[in-house]
Amino acid sequence: MDIIDDLKYRGLINQVSDEEALREALKKPMAFYCGFDPTANSLHAGNLLVIVIMMRLQKAGHHPIAVVGGGTGMIGDPSGRSTERQLNTKDIVDNYAESLKQQLDRFLQFDNGNATFVNNAEWLNSLTAIEFLRDVGKYFTLNYMLSKDSVQTRLEAGISFTEFSYMLLQSFDFLNLYEKNNCRMQVGGSDQWGNITAGLELIRKRGHEDQAFAMTFPLITKSDGTKFGKSMGGAIWLDPERTTPYEWYQFWFNASDDDVVNFLKYFTFLTKDEIEALAIEVAEHPEERKAQKTLAREMTILVHGEQALKQAEHISQALFSGDVAQLSGEEIRQGFKDVPTFNAPSKESKKLLELLVEAGVASSKRQAREDIANGAIYVNGARRTDLNDILTDEDRIDDEYTIVRRGKKKYTLIQF
């Protein structure tokens, strides 16, 4: 199966400018690029789709160029937005760009020569207004620019000249990479089709003979219509400090039966036969969640590595069994990140009854007594039924945490 057929099987091609010619061109190694605007200090799960597609093309023998928009990031892309972006300072954009470079390097490995990283600030920041208007602006009519969806959707609410010009800046990126890096194709999400094809237009009008190509991928949504890459806490980030490896694992493990096979196609490097076998498991034995476990494992290894996977699986098993005493301090920080936390004022021994009230586990001493007497209170997974029980240093995991559970699922983390 060639790369185009593989992408089609996985449902990853939304639009392509000239499929027949592109198939022929991809018979030889081709340089292609995708842009990432530095609007945060981390990429997120939504960005991962295009990164994985770049990796697929790379494995097929082609050369990815990752372009971080240190220049365009100062402007803001109107695509897919109903309001103007808040403009960041140059220092913030530069810091974000450096963070994204480090993240992208994990996947594409720039140092081995099989991928290239560039920051479009290298050519955009030195571009004068007169040069821009003469060398880029004169090739585009207002009618052409106004016909693009990214502009059309903003006309009623209003779009500034700043964001209106973004399309031309991105077109100049493509031209610059075409001329200096022999880059023949730009890839991106389907909301980028207008910007990418504007680049093709500029390359053509500048008189270049070798054909350039555009390819876009669908914007992923869940089967229930909700936006992919979000959770109750917000975006799912690639940065382990923002989304822990355990949270990342759980995000994929919690994929619905209606979504999991598509996610396996989109995001993993499993073969067609492997995916089809898991699809049968979903249909015949959905309760075993074999496909979800495979998806969570593959995605955690891809983004965080084998050790992080082992840790995430260990946390999941401990929480499922209730045997939380086996967790390390670091695993507790991951697994109980969103659990109510009480910061104990000291490490002195404390009566369990009093601590339950102070930590908000029970609303009163009376309620605390009832909970203890009824066997509803667990400390580090062990039931405590003694009304005179005292918590000591032996009840602290890594001398820092005690995990209190009331009933089956209500956890409170005591941090010392």
Side-chain angles (χ1 to χ4, degrees), residues 107-128:
F107 302 100
L108 301 174
Q109 300 175 348
F110 302 121
D111 290 340
N112 67 12
N114 293 327
T116 300
F117 173 86
V118 292
N119 185 329
N120 66 14
E122 295 174 17
W123 54 85
L124 291 182
N125 285 7
S126 60
L127 184 67
T128 68

mmCIF file with all atom_site columns, all heavy atoms in Angstrom, residues 107-128:
data_model
loop_
_atom_site.group_PDB
_atom_site.id
_atom_site.type_symbol
_atom_site.label_atom_id
_atom_site.label_alt_id
_atom_site.label_comp_id
_atom_site.label_asym_id
_atom_site.label_entity_id
_atom_site.label_seq_id
_atom_site.pdbx_PDB_ins_code
_atom_site.Cartn_x
_atom_site.Cartn_y
_atom_site.Cartn_z
_atom_site.occupancy
_atom_site.B_iso_or_equiv
_atom_site.pdbx_formal_charge
_atom_site.auth_seq_id
_atom_site.auth_comp_id
_atom_site.auth_asym_id
_atom_site.auth_atom_id
_atom_site.pdbx_PDB_model_num
ATOM 1   N N   . PHE A 1 107 ? 9.568  13.781 17.899 1.00 0.00 ? 107 PHE A N   1
ATOM 2   C CA  . PHE A 1 107 ? 8.873  12.961 16.910 1.00 0.00 ? 107 PHE A CA  1
ATOM 3   C C   . PHE A 1 107 ? 9.618  12.877 15.575 1.00 0.00 ? 107 PHE A C   1
ATOM 4   O O   . PHE A 1 107 ? 9.647  11.831 14.942 1.00 0.00 ? 107 PHE A O   1
ATOM 5   C CB  . PHE A 1 107 ? 7.471  13.524 16.658 1.00 0.00 ? 107 PHE A CB  1
ATOM 6   C CG  . PHE A 1 107 ? 6.634  13.610 17.897 1.00 0.00 ? 107 PHE A CG  1
ATOM 7   C CD1 . PHE A 1 107 ? 6.483  14.818 18.569 1.00 0.00 ? 107 PHE A CD1 1
ATOM 8   C CD2 . PHE A 1 107 ? 6.013  12.500 18.409 1.00 0.00 ? 107 PHE A CD2 1
ATOM 9   C CE1 . PHE A 1 107 ? 5.712  14.908 19.714 1.00 0.00 ? 107 PHE A CE1 1
ATOM 10  C CE2 . PHE A 1 107 ? 5.240  12.566 19.560 1.00 0.00 ? 107 PHE A CE2 1
ATOM 11  C CZ  . PHE A 1 107 ? 5.097  13.772 20.214 1.00 0.00 ? 107 PHE A CZ  1
ATOM 12  N N   . LEU A 1 108 ? 10.214 13.993 15.148 1.00 0.00 ? 108 LEU A N   1
ATOM 13  C CA  . LEU A 1 108 ? 10.804 14.063 13.812 1.00 0.00 ? 108 LEU A CA  1
ATOM 14  C C   . LEU A 1 108 ? 12.321 13.934 13.806 1.00 0.00 ? 108 LEU A C   1
ATOM 15  O O   . LEU A 1 108 ? 12.909 13.626 12.777 1.00 0.00 ? 108 LEU A O   1
ATOM 16  C CB  . LEU A 1 108 ? 10.392 15.371 13.133 1.00 0.00 ? 108 LEU A CB  1
ATOM 17  C CG  . LEU A 1 108 ? 8.874  15.575 12.984 1.00 0.00 ? 108 LEU A CG  1
ATOM 18  C CD1 . LEU A 1 108 ? 8.569  16.957 12.430 1.00 0.00 ? 108 LEU A CD1 1
ATOM 19  C CD2 . LEU A 1 108 ? 8.262  14.503 12.094 1.00 0.00 ? 108 LEU A CD2 1
ATOM 20  N N   . GLN A 1 109 ? 12.969 14.194 14.945 1.00 0.00 ? 109 GLN A N   1
ATOM 21  C CA  . GLN A 1 109 ? 14.426 14.006 15.107 1.00 0.00 ? 109 GLN A CA  1
ATOM 22  C C   . GLN A 1 109 ? 15.220 14.798 14.068 1.00 0.00 ? 109 GLN A C   1
ATOM 23  O O   . GLN A 1 109 ? 15.737 14.261 13.093 1.00 0.00 ? 109 GLN A O   1
ATOM 24  C CB  . GLN A 1 109 ? 14.767 12.513 15.041 1.00 0.00 ? 109 GLN A CB  1
ATOM 25  C CG  . GLN A 1 109 ? 14.057 11.710 16.134 1.00 0.00 ? 109 GLN A CG  1
ATOM 26  C CD  . GLN A 1 109 ? 14.277 10.221 16.040 1.00 0.00 ? 109 GLN A CD  1
ATOM 27  O OE1 . GLN A 1 109 ? 14.786 9.715  15.046 1.00 0.00 ? 109 GLN A OE1 1
ATOM 28  N NE2 . GLN A 1 109 ? 13.881 9.506  17.067 1.00 0.00 ? 109 GLN A NE2 1
ATOM 29  N N   . PHE A 1 110 ? 15.317 16.091 14.327 1.00 0.00 ? 110 PHE A N   1
ATOM 30  C CA  . PHE A 1 110 ? 15.971 16.997 13.382 1.00 0.00 ? 110 PHE A CA  1
ATOM 31  C C   . PHE A 1 110 ? 17.467 16.741 13.239 1.00 0.00 ? 110 PHE A C   1
ATOM 32  O O   . PHE A 1 110 ? 18.038 16.967 12.177 1.00 0.00 ? 110 PHE A O   1
ATOM 33  C CB  . PHE A 1 110 ? 15.728 18.449 13.821 1.00 0.00 ? 110 PHE A CB  1
ATOM 34  C CG  . PHE A 1 110 ? 14.278 18.815 13.915 1.00 0.00 ? 110 PHE A CG  1
ATOM 35  C CD1 . PHE A 1 110 ? 13.734 19.263 15.111 1.00 0.00 ? 110 PHE A CD1 1
ATOM 36  C CD2 . PHE A 1 110 ? 13.432 18.694 12.819 1.00 0.00 ? 110 PHE A CD2 1
ATOM 37  C CE1 . PHE A 1 110 ? 12.399 19.605 15.207 1.00 0.00 ? 110 PHE A CE1 1
ATOM 38  C CE2 . PHE A 1 110 ? 12.092 19.021 12.905 1.00 0.00 ? 110 PHE A CE2 1
ATOM 39  C CZ  . PHE A 1 110 ? 11.570 19.476 14.106 1.00 0.00 ? 110 PHE A CZ  1
ATOM 40  N N   . ASP A 1 111 ? 18.123 16.265 14.280 1.00 0.00 ? 111 ASP A N   1
ATOM 41  C CA  . ASP A 1 111 ? 19.583 16.128 14.255 1.00 0.00 ? 111 ASP A CA  1
ATOM 42  C C   . ASP A 1 111 ? 20.079 15.026 13.328 1.00 0.00 ? 111 ASP A C   1
ATOM 43  O O   . ASP A 1 111 ? 21.249 15.021 12.939 1.00 0.00 ? 111 ASP A O   1
ATOM 44  C CB  . ASP A 1 111 ? 20.123 15.883 15.664 1.00 0.00 ? 111 ASP A CB  1
ATOM 45  C CG  . ASP A 1 111 ? 20.013 17.114 16.558 1.00 0.00 ? 111 ASP A CG  1
ATOM 46  O OD1 . ASP A 1 111 ? 19.877 18.225 16.002 1.00 0.00 ? 111 ASP A OD1 1
ATOM 47  O OD2 . ASP A 1 111 ? 20.061 16.968 17.790 1.00 0.00 ? 111 ASP A OD2 1
ATOM 48  N N   . ASN A 1 112 ? 19.208 14.067 12.983 1.00 0.00 ? 112 ASN A N   1
ATOM 49  C CA  . ASN A 1 112 ? 19.703 12.956 12.160 1.00 0.00 ? 112 ASN A CA  1
ATOM 50  C C   . ASN A 1 112 ? 19.649 13.257 10.661 1.00 0.00 ? 112 ASN A C   1
ATOM 51  O O   . ASN A 1 112 ? 20.009 12.402 9.838  1.00 0.00 ? 112 ASN A O   1
ATOM 52  C CB  . ASN A 1 112 ? 18.945 11.664 12.473 1.00 0.00 ? 112 ASN A CB  1
ATOM 53  C CG  . ASN A 1 112 ? 17.476 11.720 12.061 1.00 0.00 ? 112 ASN A CG  1
ATOM 54  O OD1 . ASN A 1 112 ? 17.048 12.631 11.348 1.00 0.00 ? 112 ASN A OD1 1
ATOM 55  N ND2 . ASN A 1 112 ? 16.697 10.747 12.505 1.00 0.00 ? 112 ASN A ND2 1
ATOM 56  N N   . GLY A 1 113 ? 19.206 14.452 10.297 1.00 0.00 ? 113 GLY A N   1
ATOM 57  C CA  . GLY A 1 113 ? 19.212 14.854 8.894  1.00 0.00 ? 113 GLY A CA  1
ATOM 58  C C   . GLY A 1 113 ? 17.996 14.425 8.104  1.00 0.00 ? 113 GLY A C   1
ATOM 59  O O   . GLY A 1 113 ? 17.858 14.770 6.924  1.00 0.00 ? 113 GLY A O   1
ATOM 60  N N   . ASN A 1 114 ? 17.076 13.676 8.733  1.00 0.00 ? 114 ASN A N   1
ATOM 61  C CA  . ASN A 1 114 ? 15.887 13.211 8.020  1.00 0.00 ? 114 ASN A CA  1
ATOM 62  C C   . ASN A 1 114 ? 14.701 14.153 8.180  1.00 0.00 ? 114 ASN A C   1
ATOM 63  O O   . ASN A 1 114 ? 13.601 13.873 7.701  1.00 0.00 ? 114 ASN A O   1
ATOM 64  C CB  . ASN A 1 114 ? 15.491 11.811 8.519  1.00 0.00 ? 114 ASN A CB  1
ATOM 65  C CG  . ASN A 1 114 ? 16.534 10.775 8.126  1.00 0.00 ? 114 ASN A CG  1
ATOM 66  O OD1 . ASN A 1 114 ? 17.154 10.872 7.081  1.00 0.00 ? 114 ASN A OD1 1
ATOM 67  N ND2 . ASN A 1 114 ? 16.731 9.788  8.991  1.00 0.00 ? 114 ASN A ND2 1
ATOM 68  N N   . ALA A 1 115 ? 14.904 15.246 8.883  1.00 0.00 ? 115 ALA A N   1
ATOM 69  C CA  . ALA A 1 115 ? 13.872 16.262 9.052  1.00 0.00 ? 115 ALA A CA  1
ATOM 70  C C   . ALA A 1 115 ? 14.549 17.603 9.277  1.00 0.00 ? 115 ALA A C   1
ATOM 71  O O   . ALA A 1 115 ? 15.711 17.665 9.704  1.00 0.00 ? 115 ALA A O   1
ATOM 72  C CB  . ALA A 1 115 ? 12.947 15.920 10.226 1.00 0.00 ? 115 ALA A CB  1
ATOM 73  N N   . THR A 1 116 ? 13.818 18.677 8.993  1.00 0.00 ? 116 THR A N   1
ATOM 74  C CA  . THR A 1 116 ? 14.368 20.032 9.122  1.00 0.00 ? 116 THR A CA  1
ATOM 75  C C   . THR A 1 116 ? 13.430 20.873 9.969  1.00 0.00 ? 116 THR A C   1
ATOM 76  O O   . THR A 1 116 ? 12.212 20.772 9.841  1.00 0.00 ? 116 THR A O   1
ATOM 77  C CB  . THR A 1 116 ? 14.534 20.682 7.734  1.00 0.00 ? 116 THR A CB  1
ATOM 78  O OG1 . THR A 1 116 ? 15.432 19.892 6.951  1.00 0.00 ? 116 THR A OG1 1
ATOM 79  C CG2 . THR A 1 116 ? 15.086 22.102 7.854  1.00 0.00 ? 116 THR A CG2 1
ATOM 80  N N   . PHE A 1 117 ? 14.015 21.695 10.835 1.00 0.00 ? 117 PHE A N   1
ATOM 81  C CA  . PHE A 1 117 ? 13.238 22.667 11.600 1.00 0.00 ? 117 PHE A CA  1
ATOM 82  C C   . PHE A 1 117 ? 13.622 24.071 11.157 1.00 0.00 ? 117 PHE A C   1
ATOM 83  O O   . PHE A 1 117 ? 14.814 24.384 11.014 1.00 0.00 ? 117 PHE A O   1
ATOM 84  C CB  . PHE A 1 117 ? 13.507 22.522 13.102 1.00 0.00 ? 117 PHE A CB  1
ATOM 85  C CG  . PHE A 1 117 ? 12.858 23.610 13.923 1.00 0.00 ? 117 PHE A CG  1
ATOM 86  C CD1 . PHE A 1 117 ? 11.552 23.482 14.349 1.00 0.00 ? 117 PHE A CD1 1
ATOM 87  C CD2 . PHE A 1 117 ? 13.546 24.784 14.238 1.00 0.00 ? 117 PHE A CD2 1
ATOM 88  C CE1 . PHE A 1 117 ? 10.933 24.492 15.067 1.00 0.00 ? 117 PHE A CE1 1
ATOM 89  C CE2 . PHE A 1 117 ? 12.949 25.792 14.966 1.00 0.00 ? 117 PHE A CE2 1
ATOM 90  C CZ  . PHE A 1 117 ? 11.633 25.642 15.382 1.00 0.00 ? 117 PHE A CZ  1
ATOM 91  N N   . VAL A 1 118 ? 12.622 24.913 10.919 1.00 0.00 ? 118 VAL A N   1
ATOM 92  C CA  . VAL A 1 118 ? 12.884 26.323 10.612 1.00 0.00 ? 118 VAL A CA  1
ATOM 93  C C   . VAL A 1 118 ? 11.854 27.174 11.345 1.00 0.00 ? 118 VAL A C   1
ATOM 94  O O   . VAL A 1 118 ? 10.766 26.723 11.682 1.00 0.00 ? 118 VAL A O   1
ATOM 95  C CB  . VAL A 1 118 ? 12.831 26.624 9.096  1.00 0.00 ? 118 VAL A CB  1
ATOM 96  C CG1 . VAL A 1 118 ? 13.977 25.975 8.355  1.00 0.00 ? 118 VAL A CG1 1
ATOM 97  C CG2 . VAL A 1 118 ? 11.494 26.182 8.502  1.00 0.00 ? 118 VAL A CG2 1
ATOM 98  N N   . ASN A 1 119 ? 12.221 28.413 11.581 1.00 0.00 ? 119 ASN A N   1
ATOM 99  C CA  . ASN A 1 119 ? 11.344 29.403 12.192 1.00 0.00 ? 119 ASN A CA  1
ATOM 100 C C   . ASN A 1 119 ? 11.131 30.493 11.157 1.00 0.00 ? 119 ASN A C   1
ATOM 101 O O   . ASN A 1 119 ? 12.096 31.104 10.681 1.00 0.00 ? 119 ASN A O   1
ATOM 102 C CB  . ASN A 1 119 ? 12.006 29.974 13.453 1.00 0.00 ? 119 ASN A CB  1
ATOM 103 C CG  . ASN A 1 119 ? 11.097 30.916 14.220 1.00 0.00 ? 119 ASN A CG  1
ATOM 104 O OD1 . ASN A 1 119 ? 10.264 31.603 13.648 1.00 0.00 ? 119 ASN A OD1 1
ATOM 105 N ND2 . ASN A 1 119 ? 11.286 30.977 15.533 1.00 0.00 ? 119 ASN A ND2 1
ATOM 106 N N   . ASN A 1 120 ? 9.876  30.745 10.766 1.00 0.00 ? 120 ASN A N   1
ATOM 107 C CA  . ASN A 1 120 ? 9.663  31.705 9.671  1.00 0.00 ? 120 ASN A CA  1
ATOM 108 C C   . ASN A 1 120 ? 9.994  33.144 10.060 1.00 0.00 ? 120 ASN A C   1
ATOM 109 O O   . ASN A 1 120 ? 9.980  34.034 9.207  1.00 0.00 ? 120 ASN A O   1
ATOM 110 C CB  . ASN A 1 120 ? 8.256  31.596 9.076  1.00 0.00 ? 120 ASN A CB  1
ATOM 111 C CG  . ASN A 1 120 ? 7.136  31.983 10.025 1.00 0.00 ? 120 ASN A CG  1
ATOM 112 O OD1 . ASN A 1 120 ? 7.360  32.592 11.071 1.00 0.00 ? 120 ASN A OD1 1
ATOM 113 N ND2 . ASN A 1 120 ? 5.911  31.638 9.633  1.00 0.00 ? 120 ASN A ND2 1
ATOM 114 N N   . ALA A 1 121 ? 10.326 33.365 11.320 1.00 0.00 ? 121 ALA A N   1
ATOM 115 C CA  . ALA A 1 121 ? 10.844 34.683 11.693 1.00 0.00 ? 121 ALA A CA  1
ATOM 116 C C   . ALA A 1 121 ? 12.152 34.971 10.972 1.00 0.00 ? 121 ALA A C   1
ATOM 117 O O   . ALA A 1 121 ? 12.513 36.137 10.776 1.00 0.00 ? 121 ALA A O   1
ATOM 118 C CB  . ALA A 1 121 ? 11.055 34.756 13.205 1.00 0.00 ? 121 ALA A CB  1
ATOM 119 N N   . GLU A 1 122 ? 12.861 33.919 10.555 1.00 0.00 ? 122 GLU A N   1
ATOM 120 C CA  . GLU A 1 122 ? 14.141 34.077 9.856  1.00 0.00 ? 122 GLU A CA  1
ATOM 121 C C   . GLU A 1 122 ? 13.984 34.921 8.594  1.00 0.00 ? 122 GLU A C   1
ATOM 122 O O   . GLU A 1 122 ? 14.881 35.674 8.229  1.00 0.00 ? 122 GLU A O   1
ATOM 123 C CB  . GLU A 1 122 ? 14.720 32.701 9.500  1.00 0.00 ? 122 GLU A CB  1
ATOM 124 C CG  . GLU A 1 122 ? 15.100 31.854 10.709 1.00 0.00 ? 122 GLU A CG  1
ATOM 125 C CD  . GLU A 1 122 ? 15.538 30.459 10.304 1.00 0.00 ? 122 GLU A CD  1
ATOM 126 O OE1 . GLU A 1 122 ? 15.857 30.259 9.096  1.00 0.00 ? 122 GLU A OE1 1
ATOM 127 O OE2 . GLU A 1 122 ? 15.568 29.567 11.167 1.00 0.00 ? 122 GLU A OE2 1
ATOM 128 N N   . TRP A 1 123 ? 12.864 34.774 7.893  1.00 0.00 ? 123 TRP A N   1
ATOM 129 C CA  . TRP A 1 123 ? 12.679 35.571 6.667  1.00 0.00 ? 123 TRP A CA  1
ATOM 130 C C   . TRP A 1 123 ? 11.573 36.622 6.795  1.00 0.00 ? 123 TRP A C   1
ATOM 131 O O   . TRP A 1 123 ? 11.635 37.646 6.130  1.00 0.00 ? 123 TRP A O   1
ATOM 132 C CB  . TRP A 1 123 ? 12.406 34.666 5.459  1.00 0.00 ? 123 TRP A CB  1
ATOM 133 C CG  . TRP A 1 123 ? 11.272 33.706 5.601  1.00 0.00 ? 123 TRP A CG  1
ATOM 134 C CD1 . TRP A 1 123 ? 9.960  33.942 5.372  1.00 0.00 ? 123 TRP A CD1 1
ATOM 135 C CD2 . TRP A 1 123 ? 11.354 32.327 5.990  1.00 0.00 ? 123 TRP A CD2 1
ATOM 136 N NE1 . TRP A 1 123 ? 9.199  32.818 5.587  1.00 0.00 ? 123 TRP A NE1 1
ATOM 137 C CE2 . TRP A 1 123 ? 10.039 31.799 5.963  1.00 0.00 ? 123 TRP A CE2 1
ATOM 138 C CE3 . TRP A 1 123 ? 12.401 31.491 6.338  1.00 0.00 ? 123 TRP A CE3 1
ATOM 139 C CZ2 . TRP A 1 123 ? 9.755  30.473 6.283  1.00 0.00 ? 123 TRP A CZ2 1
ATOM 140 C CZ3 . TRP A 1 123 ? 12.124 30.177 6.659  1.00 0.00 ? 123 TRP A CZ3 1
ATOM 141 C CH2 . TRP A 1 123 ? 10.820 29.670 6.639  1.00 0.00 ? 123 TRP A CH2 1
ATOM 142 N N   . LEU A 1 124 ? 10.615 36.405 7.667  1.00 0.00 ? 124 LEU A N   1
ATOM 143 C CA  . LEU A 1 124 ? 9.529  37.380 7.768  1.00 0.00 ? 124 LEU A CA  1
ATOM 144 C C   . LEU A 1 124 ? 9.917  38.617 8.576  1.00 0.00 ? 124 LEU A C   1
ATOM 145 O O   . LEU A 1 124 ? 9.483  39.730 8.262  1.00 0.00 ? 124 LEU A O   1
ATOM 146 C CB  . LEU A 1 124 ? 8.286  36.737 8.394  1.00 0.00 ? 124 LEU A CB  1
ATOM 147 C CG  . LEU A 1 124 ? 7.566  35.687 7.538  1.00 0.00 ? 124 LEU A CG  1
ATOM 148 C CD1 . LEU A 1 124 ? 6.326  35.184 8.263  1.00 0.00 ? 124 LEU A CD1 1
ATOM 149 C CD2 . LEU A 1 124 ? 7.188  36.241 6.168  1.00 0.00 ? 124 LEU A CD2 1
ATOM 150 N N   . ASN A 1 125 ? 10.711 38.428 9.627  1.00 0.00 ? 125 ASN A N   1
ATOM 151 C CA  . ASN A 1 125 ? 11.036 39.569 10.488 1.00 0.00 ? 125 ASN A CA  1
ATOM 152 C C   . ASN A 1 125 ? 11.907 40.608 9.786  1.00 0.00 ? 125 ASN A C   1
ATOM 153 O O   . ASN A 1 125 ? 11.950 41.773 10.196 1.00 0.00 ? 125 ASN A O   1
ATOM 154 C CB  . ASN A 1 125 ? 11.722 39.100 11.770 1.00 0.00 ? 125 ASN A CB  1
ATOM 155 C CG  . ASN A 1 125 ? 10.730 38.476 12.741 1.00 0.00 ? 125 ASN A CG  1
ATOM 156 O OD1 . ASN A 1 125 ? 9.577  38.279 12.412 1.00 0.00 ? 125 ASN A OD1 1
ATOM 157 N ND2 . ASN A 1 125 ? 11.191 38.149 13.939 1.00 0.00 ? 125 ASN A ND2 1
ATOM 158 N N   . SER A 1 126 ? 12.602 40.198 8.740  1.00 0.00 ? 126 SER A N   1
ATOM 159 C CA  . SER A 1 126 ? 13.441 41.151 7.999  1.00 0.00 ? 126 SER A CA  1
ATOM 160 C C   . SER A 1 126 ? 12.757 41.667 6.732  1.00 0.00 ? 126 SER A C   1
ATOM 161 O O   . SER A 1 126 ? 13.314 42.483 5.998  1.00 0.00 ? 126 SER A O   1
ATOM 162 C CB  . SER A 1 126 ? 14.776 40.488 7.617  1.00 0.00 ? 126 SER A CB  1
ATOM 163 O OG  . SER A 1 126 ? 14.550 39.351 6.790  1.00 0.00 ? 126 SER A OG  1
ATOM 164 N N   . LEU A 1 127 ? 11.532 41.203 6.485  1.00 0.00 ? 127 LEU A N   1
ATOM 165 C CA  . LEU A 1 127 ? 10.797 41.607 5.291  1.00 0.00 ? 127 LEU A CA  1
ATOM 166 C C   . LEU A 1 127 ? 10.180 42.990 5.511  1.00 0.00 ? 127 LEU A C   1
ATOM 167 O O   . LEU A 1 127 ? 9.438  43.198 6.461  1.00 0.00 ? 127 LEU A O   1
ATOM 168 C CB  . LEU A 1 127 ? 9.693  40.579 5.003  1.00 0.00 ? 127 LEU A CB  1
ATOM 169 C CG  . LEU A 1 127 ? 8.858  40.762 3.734  1.00 0.00 ? 127 LEU A CG  1
ATOM 170 C CD1 . LEU A 1 127 ? 9.717  40.558 2.492  1.00 0.00 ? 127 LEU A CD1 1
ATOM 171 C CD2 . LEU A 1 127 ? 7.684  39.768 3.736  1.00 0.00 ? 127 LEU A CD2 1
ATOM 172 N N   . THR A 1 128 ? 10.495 43.936 4.623  1.00 0.00 ? 128 THR A N   1
ATOM 173 C CA  . THR A 1 128 ? 9.927  45.281 4.768  1.00 0.00 ? 128 THR A CA  1
ATOM 174 C C   . THR A 1 128 ? 8.522  45.325 4.180  1.00 0.00 ? 128 THR A C   1
ATOM 175 O O   . THR A 1 128 ? 8.138  44.475 3.367  1.00 0.00 ? 128 THR A O   1
ATOM 176 C CB  . THR A 1 128 ? 10.796 46.328 4.062  1.00 0.00 ? 128 THR A CB  1
ATOM 177 O OG1 . THR A 1 128 ? 10.717 46.126 2.642  1.00 0.00 ? 128 THR A OG1 1
ATOM 178 C CG2 . THR A 1 128 ? 12.242 46.254 4.528  1.00 0.00 ? 128 THR A CG2 1
#
